[in-house]
Structure formats: structure tokens, C-alpha cells
């Protein structure tokens, strides 16, 4: 009986140690203040947004704010200029964001497929709405990629 307990204790210590070591590799969570600020800016002036956060419709409306020439797509230059002019971040962040949002790699972010894919990536629980915690977690993970 004592041997069984020693085995269980050794197993638990091993699992606990493994969990600790695994977390050393994990990048630290970014200060959620930036992500929280961006989320609230996105919700601003969207009175018809769902109470849980942002739906696909709101995401596509925000996308329209970056489409400077109204052609239905957002180029890297359009995203960069709008991002910087709205005070959302620097050029490097805008360029990194563009690379991640241009999911089909054609040089233009479009509502379909790019924005739909981005929305579903942020909508971690698949309920059709991106809430603040989902946004913060995904935004922080993107900042480390």
C-alpha cells in the first residue's frame, strides 16, 4: 500500500513540475490595457452592437473605416495610414496586423474570406460574438506571433 502512495505522490510531483516548466516557455500575457482600449474603441458609437461585444456586422463596419478608397478591400498602406492617424499604434504593429489579417495572402484584406476568418478566430467559443475577454486573449497572443 505504501508503494502505491509513493507512486501517486511521485506522479503528482512530476505533473506539477511539468506544468511549471511548461509555463516557463509560455510568453507573458501582454498588458491587457492596450487590448481593452482597442476593444472599447471598437464598441464606441455602435449602439446596435450585441450586448456581449462585437458581432460579424460590427467587425465589418470597423473594417470599412480602414477602406480609404471604398473599393471593398484594405491594402497594407490603407491599414497603416488609418491605424497611425487614429492613434491606434505604430507602423510596425499595423504591418504585423496586416500580415495576420490578410489570411489568403493576396495583398488585400477583404470582408470574405479575410474578415470572416479573423472574426471566427477571435470568437473563441463560437457564439457569434467577440466579447472583451476573447478579444484580450487573442490580441495578446497575436502580439507574440
Amino acid at each position: 500500500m505504501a508503494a502505491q502512495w509513493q507512486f501517486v505522490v511521485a506522479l503528482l510531483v512530476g505533473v506539477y513540475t511539468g506544468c511549471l516548466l511548461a509555463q516557463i516557455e509560455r510568453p507573458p500575457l501582454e498588458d491587457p490595457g492596450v487590448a481593452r482600449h482597442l476593444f472599447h474603441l471598437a464598441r464606441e458609437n455602435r449602439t446596435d452592437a450585441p450586448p456581449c461585444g462585437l458581432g460579424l456586422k460590427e467587425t465589418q463596419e470597423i473594417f470599412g473605416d480602414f477602406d480609404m478608397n471604398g473599393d471593398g478591400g484594405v491594402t497594407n498602406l490603407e491599414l497603416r495610414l488609418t491605424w497611425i492617424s487614429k492613434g491606434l499604434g505604430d507602423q510596425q504593429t499595423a504591418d504585423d496586423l496586416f500580415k495576420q489579417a490578410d489570411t489568403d495572402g493576396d495583398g488585400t484584406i477583404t470582408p470574405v474570406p479575410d474578415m470572416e476568418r479573423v472574426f471566427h478566430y477571435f470568437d473563441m467559443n463560437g457564439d457569434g460574438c467577440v466579447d472583451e475577454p476573447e478579444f484580450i486573449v487573442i490580441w495578446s497572443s497575436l502580439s507574440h506571433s
Side-chain angles (χ1 to χ4, degrees):
M1 186 74 160
Q4 288 176 333
W5 280 108
Q6 288 174 339
F7 174 74
V8 169
V9 168
L11 181 64
L12 290 174
V13 168
V15 168
Y16 179 73
T17 303
C19 289
L20 288 177
L21 291 174
Q23 291 200 16
I24 291 171
E25 301 289 325
R26 186 178 302 156
L29 186 62
E30 286 284 314
D31 174 11
V34 173
R36 184 171 285 117
H37 175 71
L38 290 172
F39 181 82
H40 287 282
L41 283 176
R43 293 256 317 149
E44 228 173 59
N45 302 319
R46 303 219 184 318
T47 56
D48 60 339
C52 62
L54 296 168
L56 182 57
K57 177 184 171 213
E58 291 75 32
T59 305
Q60 289 176 337
E61 287 174 3
I62 294 165
F63 168 80
D65 293 344
F66 289 85
D67 183 9
M68 296 170 67
N69 63 5
D71 68 352
V74 175
T75 64
N76 192 14
L77 180 61
E78 287 176 311
L79 184 108
R80 184 185 310 143
L81 292 175
T82 305
W83 186 262
I84 293 169
S85 72
K86 289 181 178 279
L88 300 174
D90 60 17
Q91 178 177 333
Q92 185 62 51
T93 303
D95 291 345
D96 291 344
L97 180 60
F98 182 85
K99 288 175 193 168
Q100 293 168 340
D102 182 17
T103 63
D104 59 4
D106 69 353
T108 304
I109 302 170
T110 54
V112 177
D114 300 316
M115 287 310 300
E116 284 183 355
R117 289 176 180 162
V118 169
F119 176 80
H120 291 296
Y121 185 73
F122 273 83
D123 183 16
M124 295 169 60
N125 64 6
D127 67 353
C129 190
V130 177
D131 60 28
E132 188 172 348
E134 288 173 320
F135 186 86
I136 290 170
V137 167
I138 297 298
W139 186 264
S140 293
S141 73
L142 292 176
S143 69
H144 290 289
S145 23

